């Protein structure tokens, strides 16, 4: 049985054509990328839960995937009427404190700062900061059709995410096997090995980040609640999430927490706001 192999020029040509086709496909379907990535991450986090049911309670894979998916879906839809309103109130209080800090900063920067023979006005930095802290946009009556269009489109993307996530949770193993089966038989074992190695490394990294986020959320929330910092839970969640930004994230949450502490003080410690901030 003779084997045909491509020469190096043919391989480069095919690789370039595949690269160009991939770029074209990504550009043509770019609106689908974000929803599919969200669905993939959702399925990725749900899969270990279904495996726990399979291993510990001997539940069939299909039934385990269905149980995990619909329980999590119910919890997600229950969040807007349970936990989210409390967090929203805390975030609103934090935004009000930041707006108050901006007002005080605007008063200070209203006067020019003399440097040598020149006067420097820094008041122009206040409008962008105030715009970033704006409480939101109130639609006008003439914008009703636009709001309806955006809402309908977001609802459709939500359906795409939920359906795709369900399919990935319930049929990922079969889908992966079918994709690898498209490769030549002599390459399938190597592809399976590469897939397992990538999955192991990615699992270790992602689960480590998730654990770190939850640990930081608990640590900051408990510590700041213990000393009476207002909005401690909301600030703790921000601290955990912003930790994903090296150096910058911790600095941002430190500044926000210091501003809230200086303006509000402690809810029960009998010390000045300055000492409380320190």
């Amino acid at each position: 049985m003779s084997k045909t192999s491509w020469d190096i020029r043919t391989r480069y040509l095919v690789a370039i054509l595949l690269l160009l086709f991939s770029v074209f496909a990504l550009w043509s379907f770019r609106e689908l990328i974000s929803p599919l990535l969200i669905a993939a991450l959702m399925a990725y986090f749900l899969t270990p839960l279904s495996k726990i049911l399979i291993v510990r309670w001997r539940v069939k894979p299909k039934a385990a995937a269905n149980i995990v998916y619909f329980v999590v879906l119910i919890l997600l839809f229950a969040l807007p009427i349970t936990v989210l309103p409390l967090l929203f109130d805390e975030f609103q209080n934090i935004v009000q404190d930041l707006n108050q800090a901006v007002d005080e900063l605007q008063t200070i920067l209203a006067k020019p700062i003399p440097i040598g023979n020149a006067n420097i006005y820094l008041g122009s930095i206040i409008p962008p900061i105030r715009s970033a802290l704006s409480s939101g946009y109130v639609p006008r009556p003439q914008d009703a059709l636009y709001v309806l269009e955006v809402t309908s489109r977001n609802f459709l993307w939500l359906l795409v995410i939920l359906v795709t996530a369900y399919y990935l949770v319930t049929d990922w193993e079969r889908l992966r096997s079918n994709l690898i089966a498209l490769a030549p038989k002599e390459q399938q074992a190597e592809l399976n090995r590469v897939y397992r190695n990538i999955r192991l490394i990615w699992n270790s990294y992602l689960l480590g980040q998730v654990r770190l986020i939850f640990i930081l959320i608990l640590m900051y929330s408990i510590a700041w609640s213990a000393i009476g910092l207002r909005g401690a839970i909301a600030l703790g969640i921000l601290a955990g999430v912003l930790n994903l930004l090296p150096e910058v994230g911790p600095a941002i949450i430190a500044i926000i927490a210091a501003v809230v502490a200086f303006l509000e003080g402690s809810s029960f410690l009998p010390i000045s706001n300055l000492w409380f901030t320190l």
Side-chain angles (χ1 to χ4, degrees):
M1 182 177 180
S2 62
K3 291 185 179 180
T4 59
S5 60
W6 291 343
D7 57 30
I8 192 67
R9 292 183 179 179
T10 305
R11 293 179 184 179
Y12 278 121
L13 178 61
V14 172
I16 293 173
L17 292 176
L18 288 175
L19 178 61
L20 293 175
F21 176 77
S22 300
V23 172
F24 173 76
L26 289 175
W27 176 258
S28 301
F29 300 99
R30 57 188 180 278
E31 292 188 0
L32 273 173
I33 294 177
S34 296
L36 292 180
L37 285 177
I38 295 174
L41 284 175
M42 183 177 176
Y44 179 81
F45 284 111
L46 295 183
T47 300
L49 298 177
S50 63
K51 288 186 176 179
I52 292 176
L53 295 179
I54 296 172
V55 174
R56 294 189 177 181
W57 286 283
R58 307 297 180 184
V59 180
K60 293 183 178 180
K62 192 78 172 183
N66 285 321
I67 291 172
V68 169
Y69 178 83
F70 287 107
V71 168
V72 172
L73 193 62
I74 292 172
L75 293 177
L76 288 177
F77 279 104
L79 279 177
I81 59 175
T82 55
V83 180
L84 291 185
L86 300 176
L87 293 179
F88 180 77
D89 291 339
E90 291 202 357
F91 278 116
Q92 285 292 97
N93 293 332
I94 293 172
V95 171
Q96 291 176 4
D97 291 336
L98 294 177
N99 278 319
Q100 183 180 346
V102 171
D103 292 336
E104 297 180 3
L105 182 62
Q106 185 175 16
T107 303
I108 296 173
L109 297 180
K111 300 178 180 179
I113 301 175
I115 299 179
N117 296 326
N119 292 327
I120 297 184
Y121 295 87
L122 297 178
S124 59
I125 68 173
I126 298 299
I129 297 176
R130 194 177 299 281
S131 176
L133 295 175
S134 177
S135 59
Y137 168 72
V138 179
R140 297 168 298 178
Q142 56 266 35
D143 296 332
L145 289 179
Y146 173 75
V147 173
L148 180 61
E149 176 189 354
V150 172
T151 305
S152 302
R153 185 168 64 246
N154 290 337
F155 179 73
L156 290 176
W157 284 128
L158 177 62
L159 290 180
V160 171
I161 291 172
L162 295 178
V163 172
T164 305
Y166 177 78
Y167 177 73
L168 291 176
V169 169
T170 55
D171 291 324
W172 167 246
E173 294 298 330
R174 183 168 60 87
L175 177 62
R176 176 182 60 83
S177 300
N178 291 338
L179 290 175
I180 293 179
L182 297 175
K185 289 186 178 181
E186 59 271 14
Q187 301 294 330
Q188 292 179 12
E190 180 67 13
L191 288 175
N192 278 310
R193 186 187 67 81
V194 171
Y195 167 77
R196 287 193 299 269
N197 289 340
I198 293 176
R199 182 173 181 175
L200 177 62
I201 295 172
W202 175 248
N203 282 352
S204 301
Y205 169 77
L206 189 59
L207 292 178
Q209 290 296 320
V210 171
R211 291 191 188 103
L212 180 61
I213 289 174
F214 278 105
I215 290 172
L216 290 176
I217 289 174
L218 289 176
M219 288 177 58
Y220 279 107
S221 299
I222 293 173
W224 283 338
S225 298
I227 62 175
L229 180 65
R230 301 184 189 277
I233 297 177
L235 289 172
I237 294 174
L238 274 179
V241 174
L242 289 177
N243 184 70
L244 294 173
L245 303 175
E247 307 299 334
V248 178
I252 293 174
I253 191 61
I255 293 172
I256 295 175
V259 170
V260 174
F262 183 75
L263 295 176
E264 295 288 345
S266 175
S267 59
F268 60 86
L269 291 179
I271 58 177
S272 67
N273 290 8
L274 178 60
W275 280 110
F276 181 63
T277 303
L278 295 175

